[in-house]
Amino acid sequence: MNIKNFLKISLGIAVLGAVQLSCIHDDKWDAPEIVCNNKFNAPTMTMAEFVALSPASGVYTVPAQDGTHPEVIFDGYVVSSDGNGNFYKTLVFQDKPQNPTVGLVVGINKSLNYADFPVGSHIRIRANGMVIGKSSDVITLGVKDPDYAIGRIPESIISRYISGVCNGTGLDIANIVPQELTLAQIKDPKYVNTLATVKNVQFVKNEVGLPLMNKDASGTFVDTNRTLVDAAGNTGILRTDGFFKPTSYVIPDKSGDITFVVSKYGTGATPYQNIIRGISDINFTRSRFAEGVLGGTTISYSGSFTENFESYPANTSSPYFNTFPKYLNYAYTGSRYWEVRSFSSNKYIQLSANGGTASTAYDTYFMVPVDFTAANSLSFRVNVGYYNGAALKVYTTTNYTPGSDISTATLNEITSNFTFPTAPASGYGTFVSAGIFSLPNNLTGNGFIVFKYQGNSSGITTTVQLDDITVQ
């Protein structure tokens, strides 16, 4: 390039930059003062009022400003970031930096929007001429498009509709405080497109050690859903885009807190697909908790008691399980729990792998707290139905912490000290005593008697029934 032309171009850019920044120089050549002026007038309504304009079906077109129709302007705060590949060509914002009442998403036909509107950016939308309605069952803002009901804003006219709000010297950027929600709450439409933190969760155990993102047959990363779970068994989907940059992240064997934008797509089996801005949104530093543990809210260790289950309601509706405050009902593998049933005016607990999901294994524990120092013996009654293999095992443990993963405990098997029925192959038998086991003298302290059902929907499906669990 000719050096003179280069200098002319450089000087022109410098002058243009000075004009755009409205810099004022004094004779002492101090640092220029930057003056920031808002592009749009003050808001004419709240974001919540604007979102309320969205129709139940179809779209609403905001009238163009003219002598009859006034300006429609509202403010929001950006909570998304496409800096790591998620939120491709979209901007998600909510009405307040904290405790938002509504969120909204707008499509923008431009990438790297985080550079112009980083997280926390105070933005102002002049919506005249735009359209709002549901896209994939989510209220969405956009523009008219010949191919779509709600189109992306073309890059060349973004500034016609969206602008940053000045704080006097530059873009106003607020500190976004995520609202604290649970995995159950994030499935409420009112939280969609807002920033949330969910505490005390982890990825389901069969995903531990997997990469956050899957690959297709060609080795290309693809959009991927991973499942989060809390101690109560509630689940939620974490979704990453195929272009998400931290592709080497491996799902940790830890629990903790996670922050994401609550998102939704359609009305399918997993419509709520929550999206992180980056790996830093995942803060899993604590030990894993047990998944699938019910009950245990009033555990008391005793050396003498009988449990005949008569005080519990028989469960005859789906899902078939009971929460036992005094005991732990722990579905370690699969999702079947011990349930209270009643027959001939007698209540008992029951479990079977029959009719389960194809080839699914079911390992479920019924854990009874015991003061082994005071206890001398264990007995119970047992019955089986449709017997096709041994499904019941019995253990003792003194180092299991309620709420922790059972794999962290030492289980001492005592199954061979009892006798279980091995028939009938069709129908049900009758309750019989499994025998009386004298607990070892060296078994002391607080712990648990553990009844484990181990079956498989494509293998052992025997129904096991337990009653009159007695410790003396």
Side-chain angles (χ1 to χ4, degrees):
M1 177 184 292
N2 184 288
I3 189 65
K4 291 183 179 180
N5 291 336
F6 175 78
L7 290 175
K8 289 179 180 179
I9 293 172
S10 301
L11 179 59
I13 293 174
V15 171
L16 177 60
V19 172
Q20 289 178 332
L21 293 174
S22 300
C23 299
I24 300 175
H25 297 270
D26 61 21
D27 293 338
K28 296 182 181 180
W29 296 89
D30 289 337
E33 178 185 356
I34 300 176
V35 177
C36 176
N37 295 311
N38 287 323
K39 179 179 178 64
F40 300 141
N41 293 325
T44 61
M45 63 172 58
T46 67
M47 181 173 161
E49 290 171 335
F50 178 76
V51 171
L53 297 175
S54 178
S57 61
V59 298
Y60 170 71
T61 301
V62 182
Q65 183 193 7
D66 54 30
T68 304
H69 301 100
E71 285 188 308
V72 176
I73 300 174
F74 63 93
D75 282 5
Y77 294 84
V78 175
V79 294
S80 63
S81 171
D82 61 353
N84 287 300
N86 281 342
F87 302 99
Y88 178 69
K89 292 188 176 182
T90 59
L91 202 64
V92 184
F93 52 99
Q94 60 190 41
D95 63 340
K96 293 186 291 186
Q98 63 184 81
N99 300 319
T101 64
V102 68
L104 195 56
V105 60
V106 61
I108 299 177
N109 201 17
K110 173 184 174 297
S111 58
L112 303 180
N113 290 300
Y114 77 97
D116 297 320
F117 302 111
V119 172
S121 295
H122 184 182
I123 60 173
R124 186 159 291 167
I125 287 75
R126 184 178 182 276
N128 294 92
M130 301 186 78
V131 294
I132 184 172
K134 282 191 174 182
S135 175
S136 298
D137 205 46
V138 175
I139 296 177
T140 302
L141 181 63
V143 295
K144 293 181 178 180
D145 188 287
D147 298 317
Y148 303 97
I150 304 174
R152 298 181 186 272
I153 303 174
E155 181 176 2
S156 60
I157 59 171
I158 293 173
S159 61
R160 181 185 301 176
Y161 302 107
I162 304 175
S163 178
V165 176
C166 296
N167 63 8
T169 59
L171 176 64
D172 182 32
I173 299 180
N175 177 38
I176 304 295
V177 180
Q179 53 193 334
E180 188 175 323
L181 302 176
T182 66
L183 289 180
Q185 289 175 316
I186 62 173
K187 297 172 184 177
D188 188 325
K190 71 180 181 181
Y191 296 118
V192 170
N193 290 324
T194 65
L195 190 66
T197 291
V198 180
K199 294 188 174 182
N200 302 318
V201 294
Q202 62 196 18
F203 290 98
V204 292
K205 58 191 169 191
N206 62 351
E207 293 180 351
V208 171
L210 297 178
L212 184 62
M213 298 173 61
N214 291 325
K215 294 181 180 179
D216 62 16
S218 67
T220 302
F221 287 104
V222 296
D223 297 354
T224 304
N225 287 353
R226 295 300 185 199
T227 304
L228 299 166
V229 63
D230 63 20
N234 297 304
T235 59
I237 296 297
L238 182 70
R239 185 171 179 82
T240 49
D241 188 278
F243 294 102
F244 190 62
K245 292 178 182 177
T247 52
S248 62
Y249 183 84
V250 175
I251 293 176
D253 191 18
K254 296 287 185 180
S255 68
D257 309 333
I258 186 168
T259 298
F260 49 61
V261 175
V262 181
S263 301
K264 187 173 186 283
Y265 183 83
T267 58
T270 56
Y272 290 90
Q273 303 172 353
N274 308 288
I275 305 174
I276 55 174
R277 287 84 54 86
I279 291 301
S280 61
D281 279 341
I282 305 174
N283 184 26
F284 287 180
T285 58
R286 299 188 290 274
S287 298
R288 288 180 66 85
F289 51 80
E291 298 174 28
V293 179
L294 300 178
T297 55
T298 60
I299 286 178
S300 177
Y301 300 89
S302 173
S304 179
F305 62 89
T306 295
E307 179 55 75
N308 59 18
F309 302 104
E310 295 300 324
S311 64
Y312 293 95
N315 206 332
T316 58
S317 60
S318 184
Y320 294 135
F321 62 79
N322 284 80
T323 298
F324 302 88
K326 296 190 294 183
Y327 313 117
L328 297 175
N329 197 4
Y330 183 178
Y332 183 71
T333 303
S335 57
R336 292 201 170 183
Y337 293 84
W338 290 93
E339 60 201 47
V340 174
R341 290 298 184 92
S342 178
F343 181 75
S344 294
S345 300
N346 177 55
K347 292 181 180 178
Y348 49 87
I349 58 172
Q350 171 179 302
L351 186 55
S352 172
N354 184 51
T357 304
S359 300
T360 297
Y362 295 100
D363 296 334
T364 304
Y365 301 86
F366 189 78
M367 306 182 69
V368 180
V370 176
D371 176 357
F372 287 115
T373 301
N376 294 306
S377 65
L378 167 67
S379 64
F380 56 93
R381 296 197 305 147
V382 61
N383 184 28
V384 298
Y386 297 90
Y387 184 90
N388 68 346
L392 179 64
K393 294 183 179 181
V394 188
Y395 305 86
T396 63
T397 182
T398 57
N399 65 350
Y400 174 74
T401 301
S404 65
D405 194 290
I406 192 69
S407 64
T408 64
T410 301
L411 299 181
N412 304 296
E413 187 169 0
I414 58 174
T415 308
S416 61
N417 296 280
F418 301 97
T419 301
F420 305 147
T422 58
S426 179
Y428 293 88
T430 58
F431 275 99
V432 296
S433 173
I436 301 175
F437 172 59
S438 296
L439 299 170
N441 292 331
N442 62 353
L443 182 59
T444 59
N446 291 334
F448 292 86
I449 298 291
V450 181
F451 298 92
K452 178 185 180 182
Y453 181 93
Q454 186 172 34
N456 191 298
S457 59
S458 59
I460 295 175
T461 58
T462 302
T463 299
V464 173
Q465 299 171 344
L466 298 176
D467 199 5
D468 298 325
I469 300 171
T470 302
V471 170
Q472 292 182 336

